[in-house]
Amino acid sequence: MRRFHILLAAVLLLASPVNTSAYDYPVANPYIATIAGTPTSYKADLKLAIPEEHKELSIAEGRKVPSIFWFQNRMKYSVTLQDRKAPLIFVIAAAGSSYNSPTTNILQRAFYKAGFHVVCLSSPTHPNFMVTASTTGVPGYVPDDARDLYRAMTKVWQDLDGEAQVTEFYLTGYSLGAADAAFVARLDEEVKGFNFKKVLMINPPVNLHASILLLDRMLLDNIPGGIAGLNPFVDQVMTKFAGLYRGMESLDFNNDVLYQVFEEEKPDDREMAALIGLSFRLVSANMMLTADIINNQGYLVPKNRILTPNDPTTEYLKVALRLSFDQFFDEFFFPFFKARMPGLTKEALIAEVSLKSLEHYLRNTDKIGVMVNADDMILAHEDLEYLVGVFGNRAKIYPRGGHLGNIDYKENVEDMLAFFGAGREDQ
């Protein structure tokens, strides 16, 4: 079976528009790539001063914000504007990520350097967006998330009108934000508020539900004792990795240090898979708790319990950390949306948040492209085949990079800029 998977990956790579023999991204292990990213000498040169502004907007007018979220009463985003006429690109962050996360900043700098105005938005699964811009407060139903994003983008543009000279609009997103971008693009075909010229998805999930379950399994399958071993595992990880940083105070904590750590300590794939799964579980737990508080569902916090900014939430988060996404889906997510859409089935809900629900559109539009890695752990092998079949020469499939590990690798940055017609860095 393993030999079949290797052969399948080889066929897909040959079918894609990537010259794999010339792809020099140096990290062969997808777990190390995902965690440590790109060593500095292989990164695109994105060191430049940028006129970034952090801004806030009221999106859901009149919404009563739970008192524990008093500091989240306006949607936060960033704007980086050129001093001349230029295209504007919206960047949508990954699950749980904010508008100013490190990965979002990579894209912000790359596109600004290439001559774009850049607006960066948090993921609909980030607490700030959930509280201030989500219609339901329960993200994950991507058609709803796309409508919320579109409304937020429209208000951002209205706020910027007159401040920025914009020639045309573009859109990108990474990880879950990439899937969001596809749904936003489809919505824009109907609303025609932006008429996006090009849309790029970077490392998207194909079947969102399946990708989340893969991440969940990475944690559960690699912790001794399963979820019951979560606390000892977290303690072990913190103890082990804390020891690695002794004597490194004079160094920046960057990808080079992490890469050195992996080279010296050589944690096995199971340890790294568990770390990646744990990072997603932390994002998921935060989202679950925020959704429960906003909607007063009584799932984690007792119903009608009003939390204040002084109330600790640690115990609620501990409970959420032990919940698999499948359990949350069955007990909270599906019942929540079924109450709003009578007759909805689990199978239909899962299908509606998959890229496959947009297949006709994605197959027939020439404005949307996709960049993925053959060793991305959130994709099943059939997902790669599906993307090549749907996107054809609009798909770039790199032989390695894990999940987003190569997003700032020189060639990847050049390819994403070339997709938007910005040319290669050396031109």
Side-chain angles (χ1 to χ4, degrees):
M1 181 62 71
R2 178 174 174 80
R3 181 176 297 177
F4 169 76
H5 288 159
I6 293 172
L7 288 172
L8 174 61
V11 170
L12 290 171
L13 290 169
L14 288 172
S16 74
V18 175
N19 181 358
T20 60
S21 63
Y23 190 69
D24 295 327
Y25 180 74
V27 187
N29 186 307
Y31 299 112
I32 295 178
T34 299
I35 297 171
T38 305
T40 297
S41 61
Y42 291 85
K43 290 182 180 181
D45 180 10
L46 301 177
K47 294 179 181 177
L48 71 160
I50 60 172
E52 178 186 26
E53 291 184 73
H54 294 251
K55 307 188 80 169
E56 298 181 1
L57 268 178
S58 293
I59 303 297
E61 302 287 351
R63 166 173 289 180
K64 184 177 180 181
V65 175
S67 59
I68 194 171
F69 298 127
W70 65 271
F71 56 94
Q72 303 278 22
N73 61 338
R74 288 161 65 87
M75 188 196 79
K76 300 175 182 179
Y77 65 102
S78 72
V79 175
T80 312
L81 301 179
Q82 304 286 340
D83 59 2
R84 59 188 181 278
K85 284 185 179 181
L88 185 149
I89 187 165
F90 289 96
V91 178
I92 305 173
S97 294
S98 73
Y99 70 94
N100 63 343
S101 71
T103 304
T104 311
N105 288 340
I106 289 169
L107 298 179
Q108 174 194 49
R109 289 176 173 275
F111 288 115
Y112 179 80
K113 183 178 180 181
F116 291 81
H117 303 300
V118 187
V119 172
C120 296
L121 300 171
S122 298
S123 167
T125 60
H126 186 273
N128 175 258
F129 194 100
M130 291 174 65
V131 172
T132 64
S134 172
T135 303
T136 65
V138 181
Y141 183 65
V142 189
D144 276 359
D145 295 344
R147 284 186 282 270
D148 292 336
L149 281 163
Y150 201 85
R151 178 176 61 164
M153 292 159 65
T154 300
K155 290 207 170 189
V156 167
W157 171 234
Q158 290 170 349
D159 189 54
L160 288 177
D161 196 13
E163 185 178 346
Q165 301 179 67
V166 175
T167 56
E168 53 203 2
F169 294 95
Y170 295 83
L171 176 63
T172 191
Y174 61 95
S175 194
L176 177 58
D180 290 331
F183 280 81
V184 169
R186 180 65 185 86
L187 179 61
D188 186 58
E189 299 286 0
E190 301 171 6
V191 181
K192 300 188 182 302
F194 296 101
N195 294 305
F196 293 114
K197 186 174 181 180
K198 288 282 187 180
V199 179
L200 179 62
M201 297 189 291
I202 303 170
N203 290 138
V206 172
N207 182 324
L208 178 58
H209 184 261
S211 290
I212 291 173
L213 295 187
L214 285 172
L215 287 166
D216 250 358
R217 295 312 314 175
M218 287 174 66
L219 178 65
L220 295 177
D221 291 350
N222 293 290
I223 295 179
I227 196 63
L230 180 62
N231 282 349
F233 172 74
V234 172
D235 292 342
Q236 174 190 347
V237 167
M238 295 306 294
T239 300
K240 181 173 182 178
F241 280 82
L244 296 175
Y245 305 133
R246 283 196 296 268
M248 291 186 176
E249 288 83 357
S250 61
L251 296 176
D252 290 333
F253 183 67
N254 58 26
N255 289 344
D256 288 329
V257 173
L258 281 173
Y259 193 76
Q260 177 186 340
V261 165
F262 287 115
E263 284 295 297
E264 293 178 358
E265 293 295 317
K266 300 195 183 302
D268 61 32
D269 285 356
R270 291 194 64 179
E271 290 178 294
M272 290 187 286
L275 281 171
I276 294 168
L278 177 60
S279 70
F280 173 75
R281 183 62 70 93
L282 290 167
V283 168
S284 179
N286 199 24
M287 183 198 74
M288 292 177 192
L289 180 58
T290 304
D292 188 42
I293 293 172
I294 291 173
N295 288 280
N296 190 27
Q297 293 288 294
Y299 185 63
L300 293 167
V301 180
K303 198 171 181 66
N304 298 323
R305 169 76 188 277
I306 298 175
L307 296 176
T308 71
N310 296 322
D311 288 324
T313 58
T314 304
E315 294 306 313
Y316 302 126
L317 282 170
K318 284 182 179 178
V319 174
L321 274 173
R322 282 159 178 75
L323 295 173
S324 69
F325 188 83
D326 227 9
Q327 188 175 353
F328 174 73
F329 182 91
D330 289 341
E331 297 173 351
F332 186 108
F333 190 82
F334 173 66
F336 181 88
F337 285 100
K338 184 175 174 59
R340 286 154 178 74
M341 295 178 275
L344 181 70
T345 65
K346 290 182 182 179
E347 293 74 18
L349 181 55
I350 291 169
E352 287 173 14
V353 301
S354 168
L355 285 183
K356 293 182 180 180
S357 68
L358 301 179
E359 180 173 333
H360 179 76
Y361 172 61
L362 296 176
R363 189 181 292 275
N364 290 285
T365 182
D366 61 358
K367 69 167 60 174
I368 301 183
V370 63
M371 294 170 58
V372 295
N373 301 321
D375 61 355
D376 190 337
M377 62 281 300
I378 75 164
L379 297 178
H381 294 286
E382 58 267 23
D383 291 336
L384 293 172
E385 185 176 14
Y386 177 81
L387 290 172
V388 171
V390 170
F391 287 91
N393 63 8
R394 291 177 287 120
K396 284 270 189 182
I397 300 185
Y398 301 94
R400 54 192 173 275
H403 186 63
L404 298 171
N406 54 353
I407 194 168
D408 56 351
Y409 176 54
K410 294 174 184 177
E411 183 174 325
N412 288 62
V413 172
E414 289 171 350
D415 287 344
M416 68 177 71
L417 295 179
F419 175 81
F420 289 110
R424 302 183 74 84
E425 282 194 334
D426 55 0
Q427 291 182 342

